[in-house]
Amino acid sequence: MTRLTGSALRVTVYVGENDTWHHKPLYTEIVHRAHAAGLAGASVFRGIEGFGASSLIHTSRLLSLSEDLPVAVVIVDTETRVREFLPQLDELITEGLVTLDDCEVIRYVGRDGAQGASQGRTGRKGKKSL
């Protein structure tokens, strides 16, 4: 069971939804590498509108032709572990933005394999939240 509390570092990687690494989504590669590195966790958030260095506005509005929406990959772990992971991001990110923020983890407790699978997201057997 993984536990992380106290001071931590949050790395946020902003890329385009269509950015790829060896023919698969770049955000997927980042998450898989973070997992392989044993980091506490990573989440991908898809933006509905935004712009970056290109100054082109990308939006999910129905009449827009843009499909390259902004994506943020957020990873939180100890400062040491995040900084050890940064060289992998240097290898992957050719266009995008990477930010680091100090943060404080109030509570993070990972589920152990068998128990977590049977309990679902609520922590109670037989009931799963959506």
Side-chain angles (χ1 to χ4, degrees):
M1 188 173 292
T2 304
R3 295 182 186 273
L4 173 66
T5 57
S7 295
L9 196 61
R10 175 179 54 224
V11 58
T12 306
V13 182
Y14 300 92
V15 294
E17 182 178 35
N18 292 339
D19 292 348
T20 60
W21 175 261
H22 295 259
H23 308 292
K24 66 181 177 181
L26 177 58
Y27 57 84
T28 297
E29 182 66 17
I30 295 168
V31 169
H32 284 259
R33 286 191 184 202
H35 184 261
L39 296 178
S43 297
V44 179
F45 301 93
R46 183 176 188 230
I48 58 171
E49 190 164 2
F51 71 93
S54 70
S55 293
L56 295 173
I57 294 179
H58 303 277
T59 179
S60 64
R61 283 181 274 156
L62 188 61
L63 298 177
S64 172
L65 298 176
S66 174
E67 294 178 3
D68 191 22
L69 294 172
V71 172
V73 182
V74 179
I75 301 167
V76 177
D77 207 317
T78 64
E79 180 174 359
T80 301
R81 294 177 67 121
V82 167
R83 291 200 182 275
E84 288 172 354
F85 183 68
L86 291 179
Q88 293 200 52
L89 294 179
D90 287 340
E91 177 187 348
L92 295 172
I93 310 299
T94 56
E95 290 183 11
L97 173 68
V98 178
T99 63
L100 295 173
D101 301 289
D102 291 323
C103 63
E104 183 176 350
V105 175
I106 304 298
R107 182 171 193 268
Y108 170 79
V109 180
R111 295 179 279 206
D112 58 3
Q115 182 182 8
S118 66
Q119 289 184 353
R121 299 173 97 183
T122 64
R124 294 174 293 190
K125 288 188 178 183
K127 294 191 176 192
K128 290 188 179 184
S129 63
L130 298 178

